[in-house]
Amino acid sequence: MSGREGGGPGSVLALACTGSFVVVMDATIVSVALPDIRTGLGFGPSGLAWVVNAYTLAFAGFLLLGGRLADVFGQRRMFAVGMGVFTVARLAAGLAATDGQLLAARAVQGLGGALLMPVTLSLVTTAFPEPAGRARALGTWSAVGAVGASSGPVLGGLLTEWAGWRWVFFVTVPVGAAAVAAAVRVLPPRVLPARAPSARAPERGGRTRPRLDVTGAVTATAGLVAVVHGVMRAPDTGWAGAPFLGSVGGGALLLVLFAVHQGRWAREPLVPLGLFRLRAVSGGNAVMFLLGLGFFASPVLLSLYLQDVHGYAPLDAGLAYLPVGAAMFAGATAASRVSLRLGPRRAAVAACLLGAAGYGAMAALAGTDASYAVSVMLPGAVFGLGTAAAFTPITVSATSGVPAHQNGLAAGVLNTVRQTSGAVGLAALSTLSAAVTTAADGDASSDASSTGGTSMATASRAALAEGYAAAFGASACLLGVAALVAWVAMPRERGPEAATERPFPRLTVARRERRLVPGSRDSPRGSSRGGRRGGA
């Protein structure tokens, strides 16, 4: 370690796990409190999803930039800044008096999470250089994240029931403040991981540092927000209306501009496009996107289904999620062994199909009179087991065949795809659920008025059940398509060396201009822009 010595590896690991825990838990702890937040701050049906999406979109959009900032300013500084921003934003969210204040605080919190999360993984790999120790430390780091994800609904239910929804934000404020203070004492001022030769901007004292692609990060985030905003407003504005087409079309243009910026203009792009020439990387990210579309809305939809249709209190809804969380932990624990036995491709296909079966069963069994054990616990355990088991083989594929100095980049791209797909999936599935509910409620109300046999309250609950069933059915279809794409797009395993069956594409001297192309072995810069690429 450079600079003054910090704490031992155990202290560094504890800090890294603390950062991972609070960031991952945030994605699920809020879900149980959403109905109370809706009542307390007057959110509309479509606006409520932005309590989750405002955080998720900012997190996804700035995740790659957060990793680059850690390289520039050092791990200690960025851990303290990321955790500090995250903690202050959670305090502001808990104190919010209007829906706009809450959404603004959630967006800032997402930025803090994006600054924090890449540093936690970098700390683990730096503090544990030996392969065996690093594997154990990464296992601990991953397990703590899984515990955070599965404990969020339970803790959120307890806090919402006993102390009010604001405490789902307040609960980690003391933890964050303590972590910032500990980081200043434990972490060294600067620990830079080994990197490939690249162009650097000079620092004071003759040192160099990587360039920051702030333009790329802002462009990507703005494009994602515009697309999801258009999808969420579609029930009110119409799918063919100018607001929907303008928002989605503008967002798509911004994302295209981001891709052009990465390929041609950025001196050190956040995402070198040559990375996707690897079939394992492109296929793994495609499967992850489909999996995220179907899975990451589940805690929110399941919590709303239990509370809106079956009248569960927030605490009961949180406790009802425990079997799903336990199945997720079991699936994540067994995933590495299954991947080694079957290979990443077949393991991903099997896991996605299992998840699709669980969602399909939940869609078929959802209803106002359905029992919890049959309609939620058993199907939830099946889709929890399958979806959690799918992440490991997909991650193995999406990061395989990449040179060591770009492992972090490949992992950052995959995390961005996960977060983005989760935001888009929540928006799309919430919209689908609301549309089906509106249609079913209208039909039931007309039937009730003509026969006099069905009350509006009963019709409304039945319509809600139909809406959530449609969303779960869509999740089943998405995971089924994910299994198909995994079978077609992910590399076939031919033996122990299959994970690295194709070398990473190397960009060489341009044929016509006979000049060095950025990203080639002899180029002083590691980006992948400009010029005509030669063969590997």
Side-chain angles (χ1 to χ4, degrees):
M1 293 182 178
S2 59
R4 72 170 176 83
E5 290 296 323
S11 300
V12 175
L13 178 61
L15 269 179
C17 289
T18 300
S20 175
F21 180 84
V22 296
V23 172
V24 172
M25 185 181 67
D26 183 85
T28 57
I29 192 174
V30 177
S31 62
V32 179
L34 287 177
D36 282 39
I37 293 174
R38 177 175 56 198
T39 302
L41 296 181
F43 275 97
S46 60
L48 186 64
W50 277 96
V51 176
V52 176
N53 280 340
Y55 169 82
T56 304
L57 283 177
F59 184 88
F62 288 99
L63 188 63
L64 296 175
L65 181 63
R68 185 62 61 91
L69 287 172
D71 288 344
V72 175
F73 297 110
Q75 293 160 320
R76 181 179 71 184
R77 183 178 300 177
M78 291 315 302
F79 184 96
V81 170
M83 181 65 85
V85 171
F86 187 87
T87 301
V88 170
R90 284 189 71 82
L91 178 62
L95 296 173
T98 66
D99 54 352
Q101 292 176 6
L102 177 60
L103 295 183
R106 291 288 286 166
V108 175
Q109 187 186 338
L111 173 61
L115 300 178
L116 175 62
M117 195 64 175
V119 183
T120 65
L121 182 56
S122 177
L123 286 171
V124 175
T125 57
T126 302
F128 296 87
E130 295 298 326
R134 177 179 294 182
R136 288 192 295 269
L138 287 174
T140 301
W141 182 82
S142 299
V144 168
V147 171
S150 59
S151 64
V154 179
L155 182 58
L158 289 170
L159 292 171
T160 303
E161 183 80 8
W162 292 344
W165 64 264
R166 296 181 184 276
W167 279 93
V168 303
F169 300 110
F170 291 150
V171 65
T172 57
V173 171
V175 177
V180 171
V184 176
R185 295 176 56 86
V186 170
L187 301 180
R190 180 179 292 271
V191 182
L192 293 178
R195 293 174 57 90
S198 60
R200 304 291 176 135
E203 285 184 344
R204 289 176 296 180
R207 293 180 297 173
T208 59
R209 71 184 186 191
R211 297 180 185 273
L212 300 179
D213 186 15
V214 179
T215 301
V218 172
T219 304
T221 302
L224 291 170
V225 170
V227 170
V228 176
H229 183 262
V231 172
M232 293 182 65
R233 293 192 61 197
D236 300 324
T237 63
W239 291 94
F244 170 76
L245 296 177
S247 183
V248 173
L253 286 177
L254 284 172
L255 294 176
V256 170
L257 179 63
F258 169 75
V260 173
H261 174 74
Q262 298 302 286
R264 293 181 177 274
W265 303 327
R267 295 191 175 186
E268 288 195 27
L270 289 177
V271 184
L273 300 183
L275 184 71
F276 293 99
R277 293 175 61 187
L278 264 179
R279 180 181 176 185
V281 173
S282 57
N285 278 278
V287 178
M288 181 63 77
F289 185 78
L290 291 166
L291 176 63
L293 286 177
F295 169 69
F296 285 112
S298 298
V300 175
L301 293 174
L302 186 56
S303 173
L304 292 175
Y305 167 73
L306 289 172
Q307 295 182 68
D308 290 344
V309 175
H310 293 286
Y312 278 37
L315 174 59
D316 296 330
L319 293 175
Y321 195 80
L322 272 179
V324 182
M328 289 175 58
F329 184 81
T333 302
S336 59
R337 295 192 300 271
V338 174
S339 298
L340 288 173
R341 181 180 296 271
L342 299 180
R345 173 172 167 264
R346 285 178 292 202
V349 170
C352 287
L353 288 176
L354 184 62
Y359 280 118
M362 183 165 287
L365 297 171
T368 56
D369 298 324
S371 69
Y372 162 75
V374 173
S375 67
V376 174
M377 186 177 72
L378 293 178
V382 173
F383 82 67
L385 183 69
T387 50
F391 285 108
T392 294
I394 295 172
T395 302
V396 169
S397 177
T399 56
S400 65
V402 180
H405 68 272
Q406 290 193 331
N407 280 339
L409 170 63
V413 170
L414 187 66
N415 277 324
T416 302
V417 169
R418 287 178 58 178
Q419 295 297 324
T420 302
S421 65
V424 174
L426 178 59
L429 294 178
S430 297
T431 299
L432 173 64
S433 177
V436 173
T437 296
T438 300
D441 197 31
D443 293 342
S445 297
S446 62
D447 292 341
S449 62
S450 62
T451 64
T454 305
S455 69
M456 185 61 192
T458 304
S460 186
R461 287 178 59 234
L464 285 166
E466 286 193 39
Y468 291 123
F472 293 135
S475 292
C477 293
L478 287 167
L479 264 75
V481 175
L484 177 62
V485 172
W487 183 259
V488 173
M490 291 174 64
R492 296 177 180 271
E493 302 86 13
R494 293 194 297 266
E497 72 283 359
T500 57
E501 62 179 71
R502 294 178 58 196
F504 188 76
R506 188 180 65 204
L507 305 180
T508 58
V509 179
R511 294 175 181 173
R512 289 188 178 179
E513 291 97 342
R514 301 301 299 169
R515 63 181 176 82
L516 292 177
V517 176
S520 65
R521 180 174 58 184
D522 299 317
S523 170
R525 190 160 64 236
S527 68
S528 59
R529 66 177 183 89
R532 179 179 174 181
R533 296 180 175 90

